[in-house]
């Protein structure tokens, strides 16, 4: 029996006793699907971390066949109690190891993002509801050949590729895991290393299945997840460009109306509001217009960077202030400056050598 809601361990146990069948809740089902889809080591690590956190509170169900108390002097518990405590320790140790390995993944990704920033390449990340066509669009833009199927969560392992734009400039486009309504907390926490790409992006392309009957509701779910990620990242919120995908599945009249609506929104959009682009990732219709919109939006975006300067380097500080906006500035006891500034992509690349170097990975305790 599959329940489309999260269940507590007690609820799950009581339901199984009552109906005499295996019960799987929403979180458990999504974790099963994720486990089947993960291909890379990083993806498997993230899925396992989410699974261990989910199973930790459900251990008591596994050992109900063993007595938990034993008669006698009361100094020892039953064999069931011993096994539960042993499993809890093993899971806790495993979670610590997984988090340590994923922390190394996060550092590696941070170094890769820093290298791209130095090259002046904006990071464009595809986001959207699961099965909205992100991977199909990614393949269309990059010829990467990643798995793209009509099934939920076909993509778990993020992929990044260089894409040339009509102006001759380039961006790094990344495909990400699809979102879903009521995304389980365990998954958000476990996939933090992957989802950081969303908050660190210079531009998000929200791929929507515009032919889906619940397209507006799906949009609300995606925006809710993005808002939560932004909150967790201290308010970082990249601009969002909507790609209205799957217009090839609409009938003629509806399709024409959607394209007209997107064009009207584009004409009346203020400078900082990104108008949607109607596309078909399968047929390629509208993709040229999307690339042109990416060209305009990605290089109009700004990036928040943290830079360190010597106390005597007032000239560089003045250059930073002239190029963008200083958001925050602090001084240490020696007078050295740490500046958080909002700069264009090109200026951020120019000042990238002043960014502090990430700490090396810590050695695991023996």
């Amino acid at each position: 029996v599959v329940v489309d809601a999260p269940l507590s361990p007690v609820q799950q146990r009581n339901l199984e006793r009552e109906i005499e069948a295996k019960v799987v809740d929403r979180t458990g089902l999504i974790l099963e699907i994720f486990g089947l889809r993960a291909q890379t080591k990083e993806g498997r690590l993230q899925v396992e971390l989410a699974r261990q956190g989910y199973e930790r509170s459900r251990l008591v169900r596994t050992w109900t066949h063993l007595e938990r108390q034993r008669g006698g002097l009361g100094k020892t518990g039953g064999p069931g109690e011993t096994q539960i405590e042993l499993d809890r320790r093993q899971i806790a140790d495993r979670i610590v190891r997984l988090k340590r390995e994923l922390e190394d993944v996060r550092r590696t990704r941070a170094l890769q993002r820093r290298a791209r920033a130095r090259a002046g390449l904006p990071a464009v990340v595809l986001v959207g509801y699961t099965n909205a066509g992100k991977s199909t669009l990614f393949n269309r833009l990059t010829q990467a050949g990643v798995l793209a199927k009509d099934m939920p969560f076909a993509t778990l392992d993020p992929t990044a590729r260089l894409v040339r734009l009509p102006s001759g400039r380039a961006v790094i486009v990344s495909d990400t895991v699809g979102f879903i309504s009521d995304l389980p907390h365990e998954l958000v926490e476990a996939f933090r290393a992957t989802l950081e790409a969303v908050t660190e992006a210079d531009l998000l392309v929200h791929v929507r299945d515009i032919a889906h009957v619940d397209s507006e509701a799906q949009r609300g779910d995606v925006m809710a997840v993005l808002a939560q990620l932004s909150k967790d990242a201290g308010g970082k919120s990249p601009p969002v460009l909507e790609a209205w995908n799957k217009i090839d599945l609409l009938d003629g009249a509806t399709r024409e109306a959607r394209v007209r609506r997107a064009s009207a929104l584009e004409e009346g959009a203020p400078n900082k509001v990104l108008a949607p682009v109607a596309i078909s990732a399968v047929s390629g219709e509208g993709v040229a217009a999307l690339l042109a919109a990416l060209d305009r939006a990605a290089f109009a975006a700004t990036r928040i960077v943290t830079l360190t300067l010597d106390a005597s380097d007032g000239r560089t500080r003045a250059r930073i202030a002239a190029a963008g906006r200083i958001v925050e500035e602090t001084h240490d006891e020696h007078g050295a400056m740490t500046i958080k500034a909002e700069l264009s992509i090109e200026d951020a690349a120019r000042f990238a050598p002043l960014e502090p170097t990430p700490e090396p990975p810590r050695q695991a305790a023996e």
Side-chain angles (χ1 to χ4, degrees), residues 6-160:
L7 296 176
S8 71
V10 174
Q11 288 173 322
Q12 192 170 348
R13 181 192 62 196
N14 291 343
L15 278 171
E16 289 183 346
R17 285 178 175 174
E18 186 68 27
I19 62 180
E20 297 181 349
K22 180 176 174 60
V23 174
V24 179
D25 70 351
R26 179 186 179 84
T27 305
L29 177 62
I30 292 175
L31 285 171
E32 289 288 343
I33 297 172
F34 272 44
L36 292 173
R37 304 282 190 267
Q39 299 296 322
T40 65
K41 179 184 177 183
E42 177 191 342
R44 289 193 290 268
L45 282 174
Q46 292 177 125
V47 172
E48 187 178 353
L49 178 59
R51 166 67 70 185
Q52 296 287 345
Y54 175 76
E55 291 290 348
R56 181 165 51 180
S57 61
R58 285 166 163 75
L59 280 176
V60 64
R61 296 173 53 253
T62 310
W63 300 104
T64 51
H65 65 288
L66 296 176
E67 57 175 314
R68 301 191 64 194
Q69 295 294 327
R70 177 187 293 153
L73 299 176
K75 293 181 180 179
T76 58
E81 186 174 21
T82 303
Q83 186 64 57
I84 289 170
E85 292 305 320
L86 177 61
D87 282 2
R88 280 179 181 157
R89 282 195 298 274
Q90 289 175 339
I91 284 182
D93 291 343
R94 181 64 180 152
I95 287 174
V96 169
R97 287 196 298 271
L98 289 170
K99 285 184 174 179
R100 187 182 298 136
E101 291 184 59
L102 284 172
E103 191 62 32
D104 290 342
V105 171
R106 290 181 64 210
R107 287 196 189 92
T108 301
R109 288 192 179 279
L111 288 169
Q112 291 170 343
R113 285 194 295 267
R114 190 175 177 217
R116 289 196 292 265
R118 283 181 172 173
L121 298 177
V124 177
V125 176
L126 304 182
V127 299
Y129 208 83
T130 184
N131 211 31
K134 295 182 299 301
S135 296
T136 305
L137 177 58
F138 183 77
N139 286 337
R140 169 70 63 175
L141 295 175
T142 67
Q143 288 77 49
V146 300
L147 176 67
K149 286 191 177 180
D150 183 16
M151 63 184 185
F153 305 116
T155 301
L156 279 190
D157 308 303
T159 309

Side-chain angles (χ1 to χ4, degrees), residues 34-345:
F34 272 44
L36 292 173
R37 304 282 190 267
Q39 299 296 322
T40 65
K41 179 184 177 183
E42 177 191 342
R44 289 193 290 268
L45 282 174
Q46 292 177 125
V47 172
E48 187 178 353
L49 178 59
R51 166 67 70 185
Q52 296 287 345
Y54 175 76
E55 291 290 348
R56 181 165 51 180
S57 61
R58 285 166 163 75
L59 280 176
V60 64
R61 296 173 53 253
T62 310
W63 300 104
T64 51
H65 65 288
L66 296 176
E67 57 175 314
R68 301 191 64 194
Q69 295 294 327
R70 177 187 293 153
L73 299 176
K75 293 181 180 179
T76 58
E81 186 174 21
T82 303
Q83 186 64 57
I84 289 170
E85 292 305 320
L86 177 61
D87 282 2
R88 280 179 181 157
R89 282 195 298 274
Q90 289 175 339
I91 284 182
D93 291 343
R94 181 64 180 152
I95 287 174
V96 169
R97 287 196 298 271
L98 289 170
K99 285 184 174 179
R100 187 182 298 136
E101 291 184 59
L102 284 172
E103 191 62 32
D104 290 342
V105 171
R106 290 181 64 210
R107 287 196 189 92
T108 301
R109 288 192 179 279
L111 288 169
Q112 291 170 343
R113 285 194 295 267
R114 190 175 177 217
R116 289 196 292 265
R118 283 181 172 173
L121 298 177
V124 177
V125 176
L126 304 182
V127 299
Y129 208 83
T130 184
N131 211 31
K134 295 182 299 301
S135 296
T136 305
L137 177 58
F138 183 77
N139 286 337
R140 169 70 63 175
L141 295 175
T142 67
Q143 288 77 49
V146 300
L147 176 67
K149 286 191 177 180
D150 183 16
M151 63 184 185
F153 305 116
T155 301
L156 279 190
D157 308 303
T159 309
R161 293 288 188 276
L162 186 78
V163 173
R164 291 286 173 188
L165 299 175
S167 65
R169 295 179 295 195
V171 295
I172 298 291
V173 177
S174 301
D175 192 14
T176 59
V177 61
F179 299 157
I180 195 171
S181 59
D182 302 320
L183 193 64
H185 172 73
E186 292 93 342
L187 293 179
V188 176
E189 181 63 26
F191 276 74
R192 193 159 54 111
T194 296
L195 295 175
E196 274 184 355
V198 174
T199 55
E200 297 290 339
D202 297 302
L203 176 68
L204 300 180
V205 176
H206 178 187
V207 182
R208 290 179 57 187
D209 180 355
I210 205 67
H212 198 284
V213 66
D214 291 325
S215 182
E216 285 299 323
Q218 290 181 353
R219 179 185 185 277
D221 291 331
V222 170
M223 298 310 291
V225 174
L226 291 179
Q228 182 59 49
L229 292 174
S230 174
K231 182 180 176 183
D232 294 343
K236 291 183 181 178
S237 182
V240 180
L241 170 66
E242 287 192 0
W244 290 0
N245 192 28
K246 303 190 183 182
I247 58 170
D248 54 305
L249 299 182
L250 299 171
D251 61 76
T254 306
R255 175 176 174 172
E256 191 175 327
R258 288 279 196 279
V259 173
R260 277 203 312 269
R261 184 182 169 201
S263 300
L265 287 172
E266 183 175 8
E267 290 172 5
N271 289 335
K272 295 213 172 183
V273 175
L274 305 179
V277 181
I279 67 166
S280 168
V282 169
S283 69
E285 181 181 355
V287 171
L290 176 63
L291 285 171
L294 282 177
D295 208 340
R296 294 191 302 271
F299 287 90
T302 58
R303 178 184 292 146
I304 298 291
V305 295
T306 301
L307 310 171
T308 55
L309 303 174
D310 292 333
S312 59
D313 201 358
R315 179 176 296 180
T316 302
R317 185 201 177 282
R319 287 169 51 212
I320 293 169
R325 180 173 67 92
I326 293 180
V327 178
E328 185 180 315
E329 182 176 351
T330 58
H331 299 259
D332 64 14
E333 64 272 16
H334 303 295
M337 294 174 277
T338 300
I339 296 174
K340 184 180 286 186
E342 183 180 14
L343 300 169
S344 68
I345 302 295

